Amino acid sequence: MKYQSAIRKQLLIALLSFFTFQVIAQRKLTLSKGVEDISISPGGDQIAASIFGKIWLIPLEGGSAKQLTFGFGWDSFPAWSEDGLFLAYSHQSPQGSSLLVYNTQTGNIRDVYSAQTHFIGQIQFHSGKKKIFFLGDAGQYTSHLWSVPIQGGTATQHTFGKSRHEWSFALSKSGDEVLLPQGKYGVSDLYMKSIEKDSVVRLTRTELIDERDVAWNQTNDTYVFVERENGVDHISIREANGSSKRISSSPYSKKKISIHPNGKFAVLLDQRQLFRLDLTTGKRSPISFKVEFNLPERAKPELVVRNVNVFDAVGETLQKDMMVEIRGGRISAILKDSDVDFKGLKVIDGQGKTLIPGLMDNHFHFWHYMTFWGNSFILPKGVTSIRDVGAEISQSMNLKEAMAHGILDGPTIYTTGPLIDGEQGYHPMVDVPMTDPNAVEPLVKSLKAQGADALKAYFMLDSAMMKPLADAARKHNLPLTGHIGVKIGWRAAAEAGINGFSHIRIWRDMLPLEDQPNGNDESLESGVYPVQRMQADWSKIDMSDPKIASLLDFLAENNVAMDPTVGIQQVGNNVKENTDFEQYYDAKLSFEKAKQFVKMAYDRGVLILAGTDSGNLHSEMQHYSDAGIPNHAVIKSATINGAKWLGRENEFGTIEVGKRADLVLIDGNPLENMKDIEKVSLVIKEGRIVFKLD
């Protein structure tokens, strides 16, 4: 209870800091990128944009932006009313997702609708219908069109379909029709839906193309939309007569289009920057801007932690009665504890507790901004770094930079960007389906340029694509992990040059083909087959089979790591309620075999990266300890090992002079009892205290 109370207090302090920042010391932060969503004003002279979680107004020709929204939360998807008097936007906070309307004349903000079951995405006014339309995102697979009266009230759902999604839409001038792409998994087609008649007409029929953002040019009744194919985004125009032409092509990124009222050009969002796009020639020119945040001044990253027992994650034992000096956010000295005068530095008395490096969750997903708020207590758990192994690249970079700049409090993010998947893909929110080996290297080059720290292959990627992907990753100095085991086995992927594996999916290496889920018939969909999705049939795998030892030896010899995410394979009531006796007990056995596999991997020298896919890193570490891995090695799996895999071991992951000062004070000794890892009393990130248990 004391720990939970401290977390609640920490959140309250964060809330107060946002609401009172104008009366405390401030610092200015000037940025020139980071745009997430856009909307041109009805007058055509301004662009409403979401930039690092706040709504800004940018002159059409560029220049200094004006901030419209403030306070705690993340604001996105701005949309103008037809008369330009109001600006709607989506607001995310720990309380959920809300549709707010800003009055541009009075500055007042009104809450029109609060979502209970979904995240509010793209928004569009229709004053004639006296409604605001929006997309309700209910998860990785499902997103549908809704509307709510402008004055507020009950929302109406207009599109449906299990595991079907629309990520964008555009209303006709009359408001009677809506243009939107709908699909399942990683492909989609354009449809024209009559809202009044509740009917639909299909406009495109594709097999491998994902139709993304759409816009309706009201001046000449044409549609502008983004098509994604093999990691390339094509901007296309569909004429009123049904013919289509592509006017622009560029590598994958989050793209948004907002058409100017004159219909001749649009504002294009590409790689978090703005461009003016000629709708006839496809020529683009940059729109330069700058935003200036006023943020609370941060404490100096300089202090001393004394009277502690240090586990530095270099050796295997504690160094007792130590003190650690921090200057400039880096560890500047590690000394035997004494009464040295540190010349004005703040001194923290560790009271004989254990000091370890900041923890790293090597398998995490910020699927969208609501995921951040749902995991806002990650720092108090001692997690100061995460490896985000699958996210839309622009969103991931915005969160990464927001935390780096101190706009948000959170861990240091190392991102893989999107899931590089096979035909049709499996996670439409964040994947890029790839089937052409020649298209792989340009995609990898683009992801590197956009800020990716690593890459991730996904399980529908064909075996013929793995080597080109691994070669491109190596060329651009990006380590490559993979959630695979369906289209290609672990040994084959390791031979092709992959650097790591996520989860434990060794079906392809160990089971006959007839016992393997192939992903083409929903056999990997957890809502349909929960045991197969998370466990496969480990019950059929003989742990004494020499092929397991041979595989693990091969991984160790070739420096191929794994983040096994054992915790998500632990069976719970959801499995019990959706399976029969045999499946349930097979799943329980599979969990035990998964832990045994991880211990075997450790014993044979495979680098283990502690990762969760759920956020519960303490539990994951306990599973490793229960499996028989020594506790010092368990802590290393959640500290230095992730840094090593990234090639950043000189930057963080251990308590050594010169390293980033990410530190966790534990009220106990996790080297003796791993359950003590939960007793976090102090967290320091880059030399600043970010959590303290009073």
Side-chain angles (χ1 to χ4, degrees), residues 43-98:
D45 59 336
Q46 296 184 97
I47 307 164
S50 171
I51 305 174
F52 290 107
K54 296 293 171 275
I55 306 300
W56 300 74
L57 291 184
I58 302 172
L60 181 64
E61 302 305 321
S64 296
K66 175 185 177 182
Q67 187 172 354
L68 290 189
T69 65
F70 300 85
F72 192 63
W74 193 275
D75 302 327
S76 53
F77 298 105
W80 294 93
S81 62
E82 288 95 322
D83 55 13
L85 296 179
F86 300 97
L87 192 64
Y89 59 94
S90 175
H91 176 74
Q92 323 305 325
S93 73
Q95 287 70 47
S97 182
S98 299

Short mmCIF file of all heavy atoms in Angstrom, two decimals, residues 43-98:
data_model
loop_
_atom_site.label_atom_id
_atom_site.label_comp_id
_atom_site.label_asym_id
_atom_site.label_seq_id
_atom_site.Cartn_x
_atom_site.Cartn_y
_atom_site.Cartn_z
N GLY A 43 -10.23 29.23 -44.13
CA GLY A 43 -9.72 30.40 -44.85
C GLY A 43 -8.45 30.11 -45.62
O GLY A 43 -8.03 30.94 -46.44
N GLY A 44 -7.85 28.98 -45.36
CA GLY A 44 -6.67 28.57 -46.11
C GLY A 44 -5.37 29.21 -45.70
O GLY A 44 -4.36 29.04 -46.37
N ASP A 45 -5.36 29.96 -44.59
CA ASP A 45 -4.15 30.68 -44.22
C ASP A 45 -3.41 30.08 -43.04
O ASP A 45 -2.31 30.52 -42.70
CB ASP A 45 -4.49 32.14 -43.91
CG ASP A 45 -5.51 32.27 -42.77
OD1 ASP A 45 -6.27 31.31 -42.53
OD2 ASP A 45 -5.54 33.34 -42.13
N GLN A 46 -4.00 29.06 -42.39
CA GLN A 46 -3.38 28.48 -41.21
C GLN A 46 -3.47 26.95 -41.25
O GLN A 46 -4.39 26.38 -41.83
CB GLN A 46 -4.06 28.97 -39.92
CG GLN A 46 -3.95 30.45 -39.67
CD GLN A 46 -4.58 30.83 -38.34
OE1 GLN A 46 -3.90 30.97 -37.32
NE2 GLN A 46 -5.89 30.97 -38.34
N ILE A 47 -2.52 26.32 -40.58
CA ILE A 47 -2.52 24.88 -40.44
C ILE A 47 -2.61 24.56 -38.95
O ILE A 47 -1.75 24.98 -38.17
CB ILE A 47 -1.22 24.25 -41.00
CG1 ILE A 47 -0.97 24.71 -42.44
CG2 ILE A 47 -1.27 22.73 -40.91
CD1 ILE A 47 0.45 24.45 -42.90
N ALA A 48 -3.65 23.87 -38.57
CA ALA A 48 -3.72 23.35 -37.20
C ALA A 48 -2.94 22.05 -37.17
O ALA A 48 -3.14 21.18 -38.02
CB ALA A 48 -5.16 23.13 -36.77
N ALA A 49 -2.04 21.91 -36.21
CA ALA A 49 -1.18 20.74 -36.17
C ALA A 49 -0.99 20.26 -34.75
O ALA A 49 -0.94 21.06 -33.80
CB ALA A 49 0.19 21.06 -36.79
N SER A 50 -0.91 18.95 -34.60
CA SER A 50 -0.53 18.36 -33.32
C SER A 50 0.98 18.18 -33.33
O SER A 50 1.52 17.50 -34.21
CB SER A 50 -1.23 17.01 -33.13
OG SER A 50 -0.72 16.35 -31.99
N ILE A 51 1.64 18.81 -32.37
CA ILE A 51 3.10 18.73 -32.27
C ILE A 51 3.46 18.40 -30.83
O ILE A 51 3.17 19.18 -29.92
CB ILE A 51 3.78 20.05 -32.70
CG1 ILE A 51 3.33 20.44 -34.12
CG2 ILE A 51 5.29 19.92 -32.64
CD1 ILE A 51 3.84 21.79 -34.58
N PHE A 52 4.04 17.25 -30.62
CA PHE A 52 4.41 16.78 -29.29
C PHE A 52 3.27 16.94 -28.29
O PHE A 52 3.46 17.41 -27.17
CB PHE A 52 5.67 17.48 -28.80
CG PHE A 52 6.91 17.05 -29.55
CD1 PHE A 52 7.51 17.91 -30.46
CD2 PHE A 52 7.45 15.79 -29.37
CE1 PHE A 52 8.64 17.51 -31.16
CE2 PHE A 52 8.58 15.39 -30.07
CZ PHE A 52 9.17 16.24 -30.98
N GLY A 53 2.09 16.53 -28.72
CA GLY A 53 0.97 16.43 -27.80
C GLY A 53 0.22 17.70 -27.51
O GLY A 53 -0.62 17.73 -26.60
N LYS A 54 0.47 18.75 -28.27
CA LYS A 54 -0.28 20.00 -28.11
C LYS A 54 -0.72 20.49 -29.48
O LYS A 54 -0.06 20.22 -30.50
CB LYS A 54 0.57 21.07 -27.41
CG LYS A 54 0.95 20.69 -25.99
CD LYS A 54 -0.28 20.64 -25.08
CE LYS A 54 0.04 20.04 -23.72
NZ LYS A 54 -0.04 18.57 -23.72
N ILE A 55 -1.82 21.24 -29.54
CA ILE A 55 -2.33 21.79 -30.80
C ILE A 55 -1.73 23.17 -31.02
O ILE A 55 -1.76 24.03 -30.13
CB ILE A 55 -3.87 21.87 -30.79
CG1 ILE A 55 -4.48 20.50 -30.46
CG2 ILE A 55 -4.37 22.37 -32.14
CD1 ILE A 55 -4.11 19.40 -31.43
N TRP A 56 -1.19 23.37 -32.23
CA TRP A 56 -0.54 24.62 -32.60
C TRP A 56 -1.15 25.13 -33.90
O TRP A 56 -1.66 24.35 -34.71
CB TRP A 56 0.96 24.41 -32.82
CG TRP A 56 1.71 23.90 -31.64
CD1 TRP A 56 1.69 22.62 -31.14
CD2 TRP A 56 2.60 24.64 -30.80
NE1 TRP A 56 2.52 22.52 -30.07
CE2 TRP A 56 3.10 23.75 -29.83
CE3 TRP A 56 3.04 25.96 -30.80
CZ2 TRP A 56 4.00 24.14 -28.85
CZ3 TRP A 56 3.96 26.35 -29.82
CH2 TRP A 56 4.41 25.45 -28.86
N LEU A 57 -1.06 26.44 -34.11
CA LEU A 57 -1.45 27.07 -35.38
C LEU A 57 -0.17 27.53 -36.08
O LEU A 57 0.62 28.30 -35.52
CB LEU A 57 -2.37 28.26 -35.15
CG LEU A 57 -3.78 27.94 -34.65
CD1 LEU A 57 -4.62 29.22 -34.57
CD2 LEU A 57 -4.48 26.92 -35.54
N ILE A 58 0.02 27.06 -37.31
CA ILE A 58 1.19 27.40 -38.10
C ILE A 58 0.74 28.19 -39.33
O ILE A 58 -0.19 27.77 -40.03
CB ILE A 58 1.93 26.12 -38.57
CG1 ILE A 58 2.34 25.27 -37.37
CG2 ILE A 58 3.13 26.47 -39.43
CD1 ILE A 58 2.89 23.91 -37.76
N PRO A 59 1.34 29.34 -39.62
CA PRO A 59 0.99 30.05 -40.86
C PRO A 59 1.22 29.16 -42.08
O PRO A 59 2.16 28.36 -42.11
CB PRO A 59 1.95 31.25 -40.86
CG PRO A 59 2.35 31.43 -39.43
CD PRO A 59 2.37 30.05 -38.84
N LEU A 60 0.36 29.27 -43.07
CA LEU A 60 0.47 28.42 -44.25
C LEU A 60 1.84 28.53 -44.90
O LEU A 60 2.37 27.54 -45.42
CB LEU A 60 -0.62 28.79 -45.27
CG LEU A 60 -0.65 27.96 -46.56
CD1 LEU A 60 -0.97 26.50 -46.25
CD2 LEU A 60 -1.63 28.53 -47.56
N GLU A 61 2.42 29.71 -44.89
CA GLU A 61 3.73 29.90 -45.50
C GLU A 61 4.88 29.55 -44.56
O GLU A 61 6.05 29.68 -44.92
CB GLU A 61 3.88 31.36 -45.97
CG GLU A 61 2.82 31.79 -46.96
CD GLU A 61 2.76 30.87 -48.18
OE1 GLU A 61 3.83 30.44 -48.66
OE2 GLU A 61 1.64 30.57 -48.64
N GLY A 62 4.54 29.09 -43.35
CA GLY A 62 5.58 28.73 -42.39
C GLY A 62 5.89 29.86 -41.43
O GLY A 62 5.34 30.96 -41.53
N GLY A 63 6.76 29.59 -40.47
CA GLY A 63 7.13 30.60 -39.50
C GLY A 63 6.85 30.13 -38.08
O GLY A 63 6.75 28.92 -37.80
N SER A 64 6.72 31.08 -37.17
CA SER A 64 6.51 30.76 -35.77
C SER A 64 5.07 30.30 -35.54
O SER A 64 4.12 30.89 -36.05
CB SER A 64 6.80 31.98 -34.89
OG SER A 64 8.16 32.34 -34.99
N ALA A 65 4.93 29.23 -34.76
CA ALA A 65 3.62 28.66 -34.47
C ALA A 65 3.08 29.22 -33.15
O ALA A 65 3.84 29.61 -32.27
CB ALA A 65 3.70 27.14 -34.40
N LYS A 66 1.76 29.22 -33.05
CA LYS A 66 1.08 29.67 -31.84
C LYS A 66 0.48 28.46 -31.14
O LYS A 66 -0.25 27.67 -31.75
CB LYS A 66 -0.01 30.68 -32.18
CG LYS A 66 -0.86 31.11 -30.98
CD LYS A 66 -2.00 32.02 -31.41
CE LYS A 66 -2.89 32.39 -30.23
NZ LYS A 66 -4.04 33.24 -30.67
N GLN A 67 0.78 28.31 -29.85
CA GLN A 67 0.25 27.18 -29.09
C GLN A 67 -1.17 27.46 -28.63
O GLN A 67 -1.46 28.51 -28.07
CB GLN A 67 1.15 26.89 -27.89
CG GLN A 67 0.77 25.62 -27.14
CD GLN A 67 1.78 25.24 -26.07
OE1 GLN A 67 2.83 25.87 -25.94
NE2 GLN A 67 1.48 24.23 -25.27
N LEU A 68 -2.08 26.50 -28.89
CA LEU A 68 -3.48 26.65 -28.50
C LEU A 68 -3.85 25.86 -27.26
O LEU A 68 -4.68 26.29 -26.47
CB LEU A 68 -4.41 26.22 -29.65
CG LEU A 68 -4.47 27.10 -30.89
CD1 LEU A 68 -5.60 26.63 -31.80
CD2 LEU A 68 -4.68 28.57 -30.53
N THR A 69 -3.30 24.67 -27.10
CA THR A 69 -3.70 23.85 -25.95
C THR A 69 -2.52 23.67 -25.01
O THR A 69 -1.35 23.63 -25.42
CB THR A 69 -4.22 22.47 -26.40
OG1 THR A 69 -3.17 21.73 -27.03
CG2 THR A 69 -5.38 22.62 -27.36
N PHE A 70 -2.84 23.56 -23.73
CA PHE A 70 -1.84 23.46 -22.68
C PHE A 70 -2.27 22.37 -21.70
O PHE A 70 -3.29 21.71 -21.90
CB PHE A 70 -1.68 24.80 -21.94
CG PHE A 70 -1.25 25.95 -22.83
CD1 PHE A 70 -2.18 26.67 -23.57
CD2 PHE A 70 0.09 26.30 -22.92
CE1 PHE A 70 -1.79 27.72 -24.39
CE2 PHE A 70 0.50 27.35 -23.73
CZ PHE A 70 -0.44 28.06 -24.47
N GLY A 71 -1.49 22.22 -20.65
CA GLY A 71 -1.91 21.34 -19.57
C GLY A 71 -1.50 19.89 -19.76
O GLY A 71 -0.70 19.54 -20.62
N PHE A 72 -2.09 19.05 -18.93
CA PHE A 72 -1.71 17.65 -18.83
C PHE A 72 -2.47 16.82 -19.86
O PHE A 72 -3.68 16.93 -20.00
CB PHE A 72 -2.05 17.16 -17.41
CG PHE A 72 -1.46 15.83 -17.07
CD1 PHE A 72 -0.10 15.65 -17.02
CD2 PHE A 72 -2.29 14.76 -16.77
CE1 PHE A 72 0.45 14.42 -16.68
CE2 PHE A 72 -1.76 13.53 -16.42
CZ PHE A 72 -0.39 13.36 -16.37
N GLY A 73 -1.76 15.99 -20.60
CA GLY A 73 -2.40 15.13 -21.60
C GLY A 73 -1.73 15.27 -22.96
O GLY A 73 -0.77 16.03 -23.13
N TRP A 74 -2.25 14.50 -23.92
CA TRP A 74 -1.71 14.49 -25.28
C TRP A 74 -2.84 14.81 -26.25
O TRP A 74 -3.84 14.10 -26.30
CB TRP A 74 -1.10 13.12 -25.59
CG TRP A 74 -0.26 13.12 -26.83
CD1 TRP A 74 -0.69 12.97 -28.11
CD2 TRP A 74 1.17 13.27 -26.90
NE1 TRP A 74 0.37 13.02 -28.99
CE2 TRP A 74 1.52 13.19 -28.27
CE3 TRP A 74 2.16 13.43 -25.96
CZ2 TRP A 74 2.85 13.29 -28.69
CZ3 TRP A 74 3.48 13.54 -26.39
CH2 TRP A 74 3.81 13.47 -27.75
N ASP A 75 -2.68 15.90 -27.02
CA ASP A 75 -3.72 16.37 -27.93
C ASP A 75 -3.33 16.08 -29.37
O ASP A 75 -2.18 16.32 -29.77
CB ASP A 75 -3.94 17.87 -27.74
CG ASP A 75 -4.32 18.23 -26.31
OD1 ASP A 75 -4.99 17.41 -25.67
OD2 ASP A 75 -3.93 19.31 -25.84
N SER A 76 -4.29 15.60 -30.16
CA SER A 76 -3.99 15.21 -31.54
C SER A 76 -5.25 15.32 -32.39
O SER A 76 -6.34 15.63 -31.89
CB SER A 76 -3.43 13.79 -31.59
OG SER A 76 -4.28 12.87 -30.93
N PHE A 77 -5.10 15.05 -33.68
CA PHE A 77 -6.19 15.02 -34.66
C PHE A 77 -7.05 16.30 -34.67
O PHE A 77 -8.26 16.26 -34.50
CB PHE A 77 -7.10 13.81 -34.42
CG PHE A 77 -6.40 12.49 -34.57
CD1 PHE A 77 -6.05 11.75 -33.45
CD2 PHE A 77 -6.06 12.01 -35.82
CE1 PHE A 77 -5.38 10.54 -33.58
CE2 PHE A 77 -5.40 10.80 -35.97
CZ PHE A 77 -5.05 10.06 -34.84
N PRO A 78 -6.43 17.47 -34.89
CA PRO A 78 -7.22 18.71 -34.96
C PRO A 78 -8.12 18.71 -36.19
O PRO A 78 -7.78 18.15 -37.24
CB PRO A 78 -6.15 19.79 -35.06
CG PRO A 78 -4.98 19.11 -35.70
CD PRO A 78 -5.00 17.71 -35.16
N ALA A 79 -9.29 19.36 -36.07
CA ALA A 79 -10.24 19.46 -37.19
C ALA A 79 -11.04 20.75 -37.04
O ALA A 79 -11.62 21.01 -35.98
CB ALA A 79 -11.18 18.25 -37.19
N TRP A 80 -11.08 21.54 -38.13
CA TRP A 80 -11.80 22.82 -38.12
C TRP A 80 -13.28 22.63 -38.40
O TRP A 80 -13.67 21.76 -39.18
CB TRP A 80 -11.25 23.75 -39.20
CG TRP A 80 -9.84 24.21 -39.00
CD1 TRP A 80 -8.72 23.62 -39.49
CD2 TRP A 80 -9.41 25.37 -38.28
NE1 TRP A 80 -7.60 24.34 -39.13
CE2 TRP A 80 -8.00 25.41 -38.38
CE3 TRP A 80 -10.08 26.36 -37.57
CZ2 TRP A 80 -7.25 26.43 -37.79
CZ3 TRP A 80 -9.33 27.37 -36.98
CH2 TRP A 80 -7.94 27.40 -37.09
N SER A 81 -14.08 23.50 -37.80
CA SER A 81 -15.47 23.62 -38.24
C SER A 81 -15.48 24.39 -39.56
O SER A 81 -14.52 25.09 -39.90
CB SER A 81 -16.31 24.35 -37.19
OG SER A 81 -15.83 25.68 -37.00
N GLU A 82 -16.58 24.27 -40.35
CA GLU A 82 -16.62 24.89 -41.68
C GLU A 82 -16.48 26.40 -41.63
O GLU A 82 -15.97 27.02 -42.57
CB GLU A 82 -17.93 24.52 -42.40
CG GLU A 82 -17.99 23.08 -42.87
CD GLU A 82 -18.69 22.19 -41.87
OE1 GLU A 82 -18.48 22.40 -40.66
OE2 GLU A 82 -19.43 21.28 -42.28
N ASP A 83 -16.93 27.03 -40.54
CA ASP A 83 -16.83 28.49 -40.44
C ASP A 83 -15.52 28.94 -39.78
O ASP A 83 -15.28 30.14 -39.64
CB ASP A 83 -18.02 29.05 -39.67
CG ASP A 83 -18.19 28.42 -38.28
OD1 ASP A 83 -17.24 27.74 -37.82
OD2 ASP A 83 -19.26 28.60 -37.67
N GLY A 84 -14.71 28.01 -39.36
CA GLY A 84 -13.43 28.35 -38.76
C GLY A 84 -13.50 28.86 -37.34
O GLY A 84 -12.48 29.27 -36.78
N LEU A 85 -14.67 28.80 -36.72
CA LEU A 85 -14.82 29.31 -35.36
C LEU A 85 -14.41 28.29 -34.30
O LEU A 85 -14.10 28.66 -33.17
CB LEU A 85 -16.27 29.75 -35.12
CG LEU A 85 -16.77 30.92 -35.97
CD1 LEU A 85 -18.22 31.23 -35.64
CD2 LEU A 85 -15.90 32.16 -35.73
N PHE A 86 -14.44 27.05 -34.67
CA PHE A 86 -14.16 26.00 -33.69
C PHE A 86 -13.10 25.03 -34.21
O PHE A 86 -12.96 24.83 -35.43
CB PHE A 86 -15.44 25.22 -33.36
CG PHE A 86 -16.53 26.07 -32.78
CD1 PHE A 86 -17.54 26.57 -33.59
CD2 PHE A 86 -16.54 26.40 -31.43
CE1 PHE A 86 -18.54 27.37 -33.07
CE2 PHE A 86 -17.54 27.20 -30.90
CZ PHE A 86 -18.54 27.69 -31.72
N LEU A 87 -12.40 24.47 -33.27
CA LEU A 87 -11.37 23.49 -33.60
C LEU A 87 -11.54 22.31 -32.65
O LEU A 87 -11.38 22.45 -31.43
CB LEU A 87 -9.98 24.10 -33.45
CG LEU A 87 -8.79 23.33 -34.02
CD1 LEU A 87 -8.91 23.22 -35.54
CD2 LEU A 87 -7.48 24.01 -33.65
N ALA A 88 -11.90 21.16 -33.21
CA ALA A 88 -12.04 19.95 -32.40
C ALA A 88 -10.71 19.20 -32.37
O ALA A 88 -9.90 19.31 -33.30
CB ALA A 88 -13.15 19.07 -32.97
N TYR A 89 -10.49 18.43 -31.34
CA TYR A 89 -9.29 17.61 -31.26
C TYR A 89 -9.50 16.46 -30.26
O TYR A 89 -10.42 16.47 -29.44
CB TYR A 89 -8.06 18.45 -30.87
CG TYR A 89 -8.14 19.17 -29.55
CD1 TYR A 89 -7.63 18.59 -28.38
CD2 TYR A 89 -8.72 20.43 -29.45
CE1 TYR A 89 -7.68 19.26 -27.18
CE2 TYR A 89 -8.78 21.11 -28.24
CZ TYR A 89 -8.27 20.51 -27.10
OH TYR A 89 -8.32 21.17 -25.90
N SER A 90 -8.63 15.49 -30.36
CA SER A 90 -8.67 14.33 -29.47
C SER A 90 -7.70 14.57 -28.32
O SER A 90 -6.56 14.98 -28.53
CB SER A 90 -8.26 13.07 -30.25
OG SER A 90 -8.17 11.95 -29.40
N HIS A 91 -8.17 14.32 -27.11
CA HIS A 91 -7.37 14.56 -25.90
C HIS A 91 -7.21 13.24 -25.15
O HIS A 91 -8.20 12.59 -24.80
CB HIS A 91 -8.06 15.59 -25.00
CG HIS A 91 -7.37 15.83 -23.70
ND1 HIS A 91 -6.19 16.53 -23.60
CD2 HIS A 91 -7.68 15.45 -22.42
CE1 HIS A 91 -5.81 16.59 -22.33
NE2 HIS A 91 -6.69 15.93 -21.60
N GLN A 92 -5.94 12.83 -24.92
CA GLN A 92 -5.66 11.59 -24.20
C GLN A 92 -5.03 11.92 -22.85
O GLN A 92 -4.15 12.78 -22.76
CB GLN A 92 -4.69 10.69 -24.99
CG GLN A 92 -4.89 10.69 -26.50
CD GLN A 92 -6.28 10.34 -26.93
OE1 GLN A 92 -6.94 9.53 -26.29
NE2 GLN A 92 -6.74 10.95 -28.01
N SER A 93 -5.49 11.21 -21.83
CA SER A 93 -4.96 11.38 -20.48
C SER A 93 -5.15 10.07 -19.73
O SER A 93 -5.77 9.14 -20.26
CB SER A 93 -5.70 12.53 -19.77
OG SER A 93 -7.01 12.11 -19.41
N PRO A 94 -4.65 9.97 -18.50
CA PRO A 94 -4.88 8.73 -17.76
C PRO A 94 -6.36 8.41 -17.56
O PRO A 94 -6.72 7.26 -17.33
CB PRO A 94 -4.20 9.00 -16.41
CG PRO A 94 -3.14 10.00 -16.73
CD PRO A 94 -3.72 10.87 -17.79
N GLN A 95 -7.23 9.43 -17.68
CA GLN A 95 -8.66 9.20 -17.51
C GLN A 95 -9.33 8.64 -18.76
O GLN A 95 -10.48 8.22 -18.73
CB GLN A 95 -9.35 10.51 -17.11
CG GLN A 95 -9.08 10.93 -15.67
CD GLN A 95 -7.66 11.37 -15.44
OE1 GLN A 95 -7.11 12.16 -16.22
NE2 GLN A 95 -7.04 10.86 -14.40
N GLY A 96 -8.61 8.65 -19.90
CA GLY A 96 -9.19 8.10 -21.13
C GLY A 96 -9.04 9.04 -22.30
O GLY A 96 -8.19 9.93 -22.32
N SER A 97 -9.93 8.87 -23.28
CA SER A 97 -9.88 9.61 -24.54
C SER A 97 -11.13 10.47 -24.67
O SER A 97 -12.26 9.97 -24.52
CB SER A 97 -9.78 8.62 -25.71
OG SER A 97 -9.68 9.28 -26.93
N SER A 98 -10.95 11.75 -24.96
CA SER A 98 -12.07 12.68 -25.06
C SER A 98 -12.01 13.48 -26.36
O SER A 98 -10.92 13.76 -26.88
CB SER A 98 -12.08 13.67 -23.88
OG SER A 98 -12.23 13.00 -22.65
#
